[in-house]
Structures are given as structure tokens and as C-alpha cells.
Amino acid sequence: MSALDAPKAALAGLTRPEGWVLGVSVAFVLFLLAALLTGALGPTYFLFLVGLAGMYALLSFGLNAQWGFTGLINFSVAAFFGIGAYGSALMTASGSPIAGGFNPLVGLVVALVVAFALALLIGIPTLRLRADYLAIASLGLAEVVRLIVLNERWLTNGSAGVRGIPGFFEGWPVLSTFPEAMPGLRLEVVPGSPILLETAFWQASLNVLLVLGFAGATFFVLRRAHRSPWGRVLRTIRSDEDLARALGKNTYSFKMQSFVLGSLIMALAGVFYTHLNLYVGPGDLDPITTFYAWVAVILGGSGSNRGALFGGIVIVTIREGTRFLNDVALPIDPAPLRLLLIGVVIVAVMRYRPQGILPPQRELIWPSAVDGGGAPETPDSGVRERKGGGGDE
Amino acid sequence: MTVLGYLANGLVFSSIIVLGSIGLSLVYSIADFANFAHGDTMTIGAYTSLVTFGAVGGLGGAVLGLPYGFFVALLAGIAVAAVVAVGTEKLVYEPLDVDSIGLLITSIGIAFIYRAVIQIRFGSDFTRFDIQPLRPIEALLPYGVRVTLHDVAIVASAVALVVGLHVLLQYTDLGRKMRAMADNPDLARVSGIRTRRVKLWTWVIGAGLAGAGGVFLGLFNQLSPRMGFNLLLVIFAAVILGGIGSVYGAMAGGFLIGMINQLTPFFSAVVEAIPIWPGWLAAVVRSLVSIEYANAIAFVIMVLVLLIRPNGIAGEDAT
């Protein structure tokens, strides 16, 4: 609201890193816009990228609820993401080895329920452990999940993956036929390079709307939760678990709640990914997915939801940028290049800015407490005067 | 194969795991963080020796079916792994101003950088050492043991390295300093031990052993850029099983995990044989105890050990 009322004041109120991020983001958006208008970047592919960025942001929100809020080192992000993806894929796909053909909403519910069960299954043994043991144990259990998905062919189709997944809005009243119903448009902004908007484009815009809905809802829930008394306990656990325990908090229970919440958000990201990509395979459970989410969170600033959003966009830029580079400029295999960039980003962040680019600062304080409302009012008259003024010394 | 055969295979695989787990445990106790780049240090050792062996060739004679050149390559692998680890410590870990969790996260980045560089240079395909695969030793075949001279060489070299480490830790000045530092770094420092130098030596020894483990892993199986990372969790399982900070625990843990890993086919034969009731449970158990889940079983054991004895088998009771 304040940003709309007084844009200049809002700009002046930014910290330096915030200003930088804003500047870079605006430049990046302009660059993408230019690429779109000249036809260098297909609008459908662009919307796919936006959807992917939203998905990584969602994944980072989930990890942020665990690591950023409570300090849980969860290295099983890929497992929850994969469970979400497989849960909804196996329920909805025509090529599913079990069930299949259900409404995507059923898939969503099933995926979340299975992720909830898995979160309890992984959380119960590991959340009592020391921080670094939790890291190792969760990575190990994620690997167990991956091996099960890879080897239990009767359930998951093994290494072939699941195909024939419908879009998320399949079976909905209006939205299921919306892409076909929309007319094909032909825009020509720059002469000679027309932009075609066809069924695939409308399909992709529906996906973007969906991920915006998911991510937006998650963002506001997490922001509210982080500022609530519940979130304050989590932050206390993160900085000093013994202190939280001394204050009479059942830290194990709080850690479990935060773990489950984060895991459900990761599964939500997986559900969206299924309907975006329309194919899931065991490769999606590769540990690299976990570390993508980690890079997004530590780059953005642990505990900061804005930072997680920013980190998600950076990840997609690295992921798709390396592919683009390989096509255009450097003949280097994109897979190791991506790995190298991720590694360099991790090391550089830990070396030069361990708190991340947008660490949570005012995010954690109720706005009314900052923007004048809650500021202590200066009394009109000094205390001494009111007391009768004994200015003797 | 007989039980004896599985045990023999387990011994060979254990030797490799032990080499990896000792280094991980040393770094864990002295540099005080879980080094996720340890597996990729093994990969560095393996690929260095691949290149060296390609360059120097066989050099005439052979011991235990392995040409002299291979041993030169082994030394090169150990040396380069150690140098890379020390360089990383100097360039990256030492200037960092973060806690042990921050170091853990950094080490993941380091692991990715190592692996990416190897993958850019060598591609992601599997390769092998240019050494003729041997036939199993004839004399042992009647007992159902199928090991080659190469396997004997792996076990012998691992035993030599482990005994060397034991002598170093127990009877030399450096070893005493290292043990002192693992016990209590601050106390070691005020006693006049140059802790920074001891830490560097720890990296040299830990990474060197990892490099050797990587070379043997390449000889035992194949080389690929992911070989180290894939083995990392198994090694972590071994270290945790043995109790973090205890080198001898890590040896025992590595031995056990390697055995369990290679004995999985035997276990699944046992599960097939014993009657389990009810039927669905039997089906579940039979499908889970199979060769595909050899690593998964190690991880589950690791988590169970953490639950029951958070300090491992040989770890101290209080932390």
C-alpha cells in the first residue's frame, strides 16, 4: 500500500542490497521483454520458464520454512518434490501403472497426504538428531526414496517414468477447454518477426496462473506464520534450541510442525511440476534438485521469503541459461557447467555474504511497528517539567 | 556363490570403504565439519591415476597382476588428492567466517566444483583403467571364492595404509598432536601445538587416503565423475556407525558397512528361505532385501544406529 501511495519514499527506504536486487531484476525483465518483442524468445517457452521459476520459488519457500525458520538441515527436498510429482502423476496419468485417470484435484490431495506421511516417517527418527547428523540422515533417506521409485516398477514404471499426464485444469468446467477456445492471435510488434499466440500459449498462461496462485498463497501463509508467536518460537529454536527448551517449549514438536509444513510445500511444487512438464521420471529425484533449492535459499537469505523468491529465479536462469549458452556460444555440456555454477555460487555466498543477499530484516517485524504507527511518541513535555521541574543541578 | 565368496567380496569392498571413512572421520574430528566433498576427492584421485597411468604406461614388470606403472599412478592419485584438498582448505575453508554448518554447506559447493571440472574434462561416461581384467584365482575357486589378484592387491594395499596410519597416530609426534586436537582443540592450542599446521596435515592424510580409495574403487568397478558422490553416503554411514571422531571406529564401521553391502545377495537368499508370516510381509521383505537396495540398507542401518546410539559404536558416551 505504502509503495503505491508514495513510490519515491518506498524507493528511498530500500537498503542497498534491496536496491541492487531491484535494479538487476528490472534490467533482467527489460531484457526478457526485448527478447520477447523481437521474437528471439518464444512466448510459450517464456511462460514455461516463468512457471519453472514459480516452482523453484515454491520449493525454496518449503525449504525456507524448515531451514530458514527453524534451522533444520533438510537434504531430502528432492524426495518430497518427487513424492509430490509422482503422487499426482500416478493418480492422473493415462500411462500410470496403478489407478490413473483421476481428476488432478484428487492427485493433489493424494500427493499431499503421501508427502505428509513421508514427512512423519523421515522426521520422527531424524529430528531428534544433531544438526549435521540430520543433514546426512535426511540425504540418505532421500536416496532410499529415490531407489524405491527407481526399482519398484509395478508402482512407478521404474526408469521409464510416467507419461500421459493431463494438465491441472483437466475436467474443470470452463478452464479445461479454455486453451482451445481462445482464438489464435498474431501480434507484430517489430516488423518482420510476428509473435504467434496459440493453444499452447494459453495452456502455458493457465499454468502460470496456477503457480502464481500456489506461490502467492504459500507466500502469505508463510509470512503470517513467520511473524506469529509460532514463528517466533521457531526462530528461537534456530538460534538457540536449549533456550527454547528452557522456556518450556516442546522443541521436538515445533521442529516436526515446521518440517511437515515445509515438506507439504515442496510436495505442492512437485504437483505443479507434474502438470507443467507432463512427464516425471526418477531423474527428478536426483539430489541435485535438493541442492538447487538450497542454493536458492542461502543465496536469497535464509529465513527470507522474498529472498527465496529471488533465489528461485536465479536458479531458473542458471538452469536454462546454461542450456541457452550451449546452443549459442560455448560448446560445453550444460550439465557440468550448471553443476560448476551452482558450486561456485554456494562457495561465493558462504565466503562473501553468508547471510544471503536479502536477509530477513524488517520482514520479521509487524509493519505497524516500523512505519510510525507503533513508534514511541515523543511526549510534548519532558518528564522533568511535568514532575514540577526541579532543575537544580 | 557361497558365504565364503560373499565374505571375500565384502572384504575387498570394505577395504575401499575403510580408506574413505578414515579420511572423512579424521577431517570430521579435527576440522570439525561433515565434509561432503570427500567423495569427490576420491574421484579426483581416481582420475589423476587414470591420466598418470595413461602417460607412464606399464613400466615393465608387474606385481599381483598390476604393472609397476599402476603403483606410480596410485602415488600420483594420492598426491594430487592431498594437494587439491590442502589448496581448498587454504583458499576456501580457512578464510571463511561461518560455523560448522556453514562449512558443511560450503563443502557441497566444493564437491560440485570438483565433479563439474572432472565432468567437463572427461565427459560423464564410464571408463576403466587400461589393465587387462584377470581371471579369478584358480586355487580358491573350489571354495566358491571368486577373487582376482587385483582384489588381493587392493586389500593388501589398504591394510598397509591402515597399519601405516595406526603407527603414525600412536607412535609419532604428529599423531599425538592430532589425537590431542581431536580431543580438545582449544586445550591443544594452549599446550603449544600449532593447530593450523596439524589441520593441514590432517587434510593431507585424509585426502590422500581418499585418493587411494578412489583409485582402488576405479580398479574394483569403473570410473565415472559420480563414483565418489555415489559412495559418499555409504562412507558417511560407515563413519556414523563407527562413531564420529573415532578413527578406529571408522575402520570398524567401514568394514561392517562394506560387508553388509556385499552380503546383500546372501541376505536375500536367507530371506527367501525362512518362512515369514503373513504373506504380504514376506513379499515386502523379499522385494526390499535385494541387490538394488544394497546401499539403501546401509542408509537405514545408519539411521537406526543414530537413533539407538547417537555417538556410534565406538563413540564416547557424552558429547
Side-chain angles (χ1 to χ4, degrees):
Chain A
M1 285 164 283
S2 58
L4 290 180
D5 293 340
K8 261 194 184 162
L11 270 183
L14 295 179
T15 57
R16 254 185 69 185
E18 282 174 338
W20 270 100
V21 168
L22 189 68
V24 170
S25 315
V26 168
F28 192 60
V29 166
L30 287 179
F31 168 73
L32 286 180
L33 213 60
L36 267 179
L37 291 180
T38 53
L41 183 67
T44 311
Y45 180 60
F46 171 71
L47 288 183
F48 174 77
L49 291 188
V50 174
L52 214 55
M55 187 211 84
Y56 276 111
L58 212 50
L59 214 52
S60 319
F61 286 157
L63 183 60
N64 205 17
Q66 299 174 341
W67 159 248
F69 291 10
T70 325
L72 304 174
I73 309 196
N74 177 14
F75 280 168
S76 52
V77 177
F80 291 105
F81 171 74
I83 287 294
Y86 263 96
S88 72
L90 290 177
M91 282 295 125
T92 58
S94 58
S96 161
I98 55 167
F102 285 103
N103 188 297
L105 277 180
V106 178
L108 174 71
V109 172
V110 168
L112 291 184
V113 168
V114 175
F116 180 78
L118 183 75
L120 290 182
L121 212 64
I122 292 188
I124 287 172
T126 57
L127 287 182
R128 288 184 198 279
L129 300 175
R130 229 172 65 183
D132 47 350
Y133 288 10
L134 172 61
I136 301 164
S138 59
L139 189 57
L141 290 176
E143 195 65 7
V144 172
V145 172
R146 189 181 75 87
L147 287 173
I148 289 176
V149 167
L150 186 63
N151 290 314
E152 298 302 316
R153 276 177 212 88
W154 59 272
L155 179 66
T156 62
N157 240 359
S159 55
V162 182
R163 290 174 195 286
I165 300 166
F168 187 77
F169 294 104
E170 186 90 359
W172 288 43
V174 181
L175 292 174
S176 63
T177 51
F178 170 77
E180 285 79 19
M182 284 302 285
L185 291 181
R186 188 171 186 282
L187 301 178
E188 194 164 325
V189 183
V190 180
S193 53
I195 303 167
L196 299 173
L197 305 180
E198 286 156 344
T199 312
F201 172 80
W202 299 112
Q203 184 70 46
S205 26
L206 272 187
N207 275 332
V208 168
L209 278 182
L210 179 67
V211 81
L212 283 182
F214 279 178
T218 312
F219 184 86
F220 286 109
V221 167
L222 283 185
R223 204 170 68 157
R224 184 67 184 78
H226 202 190
R227 283 176 179 166
S228 68
W230 183 78
R232 280 201 295 275
V233 176
L234 295 189
R235 271 182 279 149
T236 313
I237 293 176
R238 181 188 158 93
S239 46
D240 190 343
E241 191 177 341
D242 291 334
L243 175 65
R245 211 176 286 151
L247 291 171
K249 305 294 177 194
N250 181 353
T251 55
Y252 178 66
S253 161
F254 274 99
K255 279 166 63 174
M256 182 61 85
Q257 290 162 19
S258 137
F259 188 74
V260 168
L261 175 68
S263 305
L264 288 182
I265 297 171
M266 291 166 191
L268 194 61
V271 171
F272 172 72
Y273 177 76
T274 299
H275 295 293
L276 176 76
N277 203 32
L278 304 184
Y279 165 76
V280 289
D284 295 324
L285 276 83
D286 193 280
I288 190 77
T289 310
T290 298
F291 296 115
Y292 278 145
W294 268 93
V295 168
V297 170
I298 63 169
L299 179 70
S302 307
S304 156
N305 289 323
R306 289 180 312 173
L309 189 63
F310 173 69
I313 294 169
V314 171
I315 289 300
V316 174
T317 313
I318 291 180
R319 243 191 74 151
E320 299 298 312
T322 47
R323 185 174 296 164
F324 173 75
L325 261 185
N326 181 46
D327 290 346
V328 184
L330 291 166
I332 296 181
D333 187 14
L337 192 61
R338 213 173 286 162
L339 208 59
L340 185 69
L341 278 174
I342 294 282
V344 169
V345 169
I346 293 179
V347 172
V349 169
M350 296 314 283
R351 173 84 175 80
Y352 297 106
R353 214 175 152 78
Q355 75 274 37
I357 291 181
L358 291 173
Q361 290 167 347
R362 284 169 294 175
E363 266 189 75
L364 298 181
I365 309 168
W366 286 99
S368 58
V370 183
D371 300 338
E377 282 173 30
T378 334
D380 297 331
S381 54
V383 180
R384 269 181 200 178
E385 291 153 41
R386 232 184 289 169
K387 270 188 177 172
D392 35 52
E393 280 171 80
Chain B
M1 265 208 285
T2 61
V3 184
L4 222 52
Y6 288 124
L7 283 175
N9 279 355
L11 190 65
V12 180
F13 191 61
S14 294
S15 313
I16 297 167
I17 301 288
V18 166
L19 288 178
S21 58
I22 291 173
L24 192 62
S25 179
L26 271 179
V27 172
Y28 212 142
S29 58
I30 291 176
D32 197 30
F33 71 97
N35 179 19
F36 274 72
H38 196 74
D40 293 276
T41 312
M42 295 178 83
T43 318
I44 290 180
Y47 273 89
T48 307
S49 66
L50 179 76
V51 173
T52 318
F53 186 62
V56 300
L59 297 180
V63 188
L64 290 173
L66 291 171
Y68 291 149
F70 180 79
F71 293 96
V72 175
L74 173 64
L75 290 180
I78 293 174
V80 170
V83 167
V84 169
V86 169
T88 311
E89 158 76 8
K90 278 274 164 206
L91 279 177
V92 181
Y93 297 133
E94 216 177 79
L96 277 185
D97 180 27
V98 291
D99 58 355
S100 68
I101 300 301
L103 284 171
L104 187 161
I105 295 171
T106 313
S107 74
I108 293 170
I110 297 288
F112 285 175
I113 294 175
Y114 287 172
R115 200 208 307 173
V117 170
I118 289 172
Q119 207 172 328
I120 287 173
R121 171 71 186 75
F122 295 96
S124 54
D125 296 335
F126 288 95
T127 38
R128 284 183 163 283
F129 286 110
D130 188 19
I131 297 174
Q132 200 67 35
L134 295 180
R135 294 176 56 76
I137 301 170
E138 294 284 343
L140 294 175
L141 277 182
Y143 305 101
V145 178
R146 297 176 61 88
V147 292
T148 64
L149 274 176
H150 289 167
D151 297 335
V152 176
I154 290 174
V155 176
S157 316
V159 168
L161 286 171
V162 167
V163 169
L165 181 78
H166 169 71
V167 170
L168 178 101
L169 279 178
Q170 296 298 331
Y171 303 107
T172 68
D173 210 30
L174 177 65
R176 278 187 211 102
K177 286 178 184 165
M178 284 170 70
R179 282 186 290 143
M181 237 189 111
D183 264 0
N184 187 335
D186 296 328
L187 196 57
R189 189 123 186 252
V190 294
S191 318
I193 295 174
R194 294 196 178 95
T195 49
R196 209 177 252 196
R197 198 177 290 176
V198 175
K199 208 190 239 183
L200 281 186
W201 275 109
T202 307
W203 279 105
V204 168
I205 295 168
L209 289 175
V215 176
F216 291 138
L217 183 65
L219 185 67
F220 183 66
N221 276 330
Q222 289 165 320
L223 292 94
S224 79
R226 278 194 72 126
M227 61 192 273
F229 194 77
N230 287 344
L231 202 67
L232 178 70
L233 273 171
V234 180
I235 295 174
F236 263 123
V239 170
I240 287 177
L241 193 63
I244 286 175
S246 152
V247 170
Y248 297 97
M251 291 179 193
F255 184 76
L256 272 178
I257 288 285
M259 279 293 179
I260 291 168
N261 190 298
Q262 296 291 309
L263 280 174
T264 310
F266 169 68
F267 293 145
S268 62
V270 170
V271 171
E272 288 287 329
I274 55 171
I276 300 176
W277 186 86
W280 61 268
L281 186 67
V284 168
V285 170
R286 269 169 207 163
S287 74
L288 288 186
V289 182
S290 64
I291 191 79
E292 290 93 0
Y293 291 116
N295 285 348
I297 291 170
F299 306 152
V300 172
I301 289 175
M302 168 178 83
V303 174
L304 290 180
V305 167
L306 279 175
L307 278 179
I308 300 161
R309 264 192 79 92
N311 293 313
I313 297 173
E316 307 100 49
D317 284 327
T319 307

